[in-house]
Amino acid sequence: MQLFLDTTDTAVLKDLAATGLVDGVTTNPTLIARSGRNMLEVIAEICGIVGGPVSAEVASMETAGMLAEGRKLAAIAPNIVVKVPLTRDGLIATREFAAEGIQTNVTLCFSASQALLAAKAGASYISPFIGRLDDVGAAGMDLIAEIRAIYDNYDFDTEILAASIRSPAHVAQAAMAGADCATIPPDVFAALFKHPLTERGLQQFMADWKATGQSIL
Ligand code: E4P
């Protein structure tokens, strides 16, 4: 399973990328706004830090605008994935990007039927938003399993990118449901390393080791 970082914070990205466990990055207009930086500059910097897929989202609502913006974004670096909203215009643009060999991440997916259309349009990635579904009382994780079943039934190549992840449990559940990737906020990514029993066990081991008075080196 590929693990992406959902961030435009390049300092945090550098820190986590140093673990060798960050396979890619996703961004969205909210994260760009939060960075306070020029989008083209921050995306270019991110592409210099991570060699894997970097999603950069179009801002236009119409197909022609999405195509123009997406082509400009795709020219930033070879690892750019153009992020397109799951709308009629967005899927028409997705189909054209696929014909041009430009990778796409179709975002704001909230139903299995939307995901079916995205795959038929030739999306490279589909982003079902787990946490936002949970927020409105739906079972977000069920959507991952439904999309997995549909894509397997018809051998679609579109990768399932679990998005709107809120906890380490979400990451594990998405992996069990067959997601190909998950995009994870930095605080949740950092929490993936941790478990209270690991901390407690390590403290005990270190205390016992010190009591032996030994040294390995
Ligand atoms: C995914 O591509 C989105 O950027 C992100 O996962 C949205 O997460 P949120 O619902 O926490 O804003």
Side-chain angles (χ1 to χ4, degrees), residues 6 26-28 31 83 107 127 129 132 163-166 183:
D6 197 28
T26 57
T27 65
N28 63 40
L31 293 172
K83 208 169 171 187
T107 189
S127 286
F129 275 40
R132 294 193 194 188
S164 192
I165 293 280
R166 301 278 165 79
T183 188

Side-chain angles (χ1 to χ4, degrees), residues 3-7 12-13 16 22 24-27 182-186 189:
L3 301 181
F4 299 162
L5 211 56
D6 197 28
T7 191
V12 166
L13 172 60
L16 283 167
V22 177
V25 172
T26 57
T27 65
T183 188
I184 308 167
F189 203 106

Side-chain angles (χ1 to χ4, degrees), residues 1 9 26 28 36 70 85 87 95 100 109 125 139 142 146 156 163 165 175-176 187 195:
M1 186 192 206
D9 186 329
T26 57
N28 63 40
T87 60
R95 196 169 181 77
E100 295 178 18
C109 173
Y125 299 90
D142 289 355
E146 289 168 12
F156 285 121
I165 293 280
M176 287 190 292
D187 58 334
H195 192 285

Side-chain angles (χ1 to χ4, degrees), residues 41-143:
E41 287 176 13
V42 73
I43 293 293
E45 186 179 341
I46 290 169
C47 289
I49 299 169
V50 172
V54 174
S55 288
E57 189 160 343
V58 297
S60 178
M61 299 286 280
E62 289 84 35
T63 303
M66 290 177 190
L67 290 172
E69 291 174 354
R71 288 173 187 134
K72 183 168 180 177
L73 292 169
I76 293 175
N79 52 330
I80 285 285
V81 175
V82 176
K83 208 169 171 187
V84 175
L86 207 159
T87 60
R88 179 183 156 128
D89 278 64
L91 293 188
I92 294 170
T94 297
R95 196 169 181 77
E96 177 58 28
F97 284 134
E100 295 178 18
I102 293 174
Q103 296 253 103
T104 51
N105 172 359
V106 175
T107 189
L108 291 166
C109 173
F110 293 96
S111 76
S113 48
Q114 285 182 314
L116 173 61
L117 291 185
K120 284 182 69 69
S124 313
Y125 299 90
I126 182 70
S127 286
F129 275 40
I130 306 310
R132 294 193 194 188
L133 278 168
D134 289 352
D135 290 345
V136 296
M141 206 53 68
D142 289 355
L143 178 55

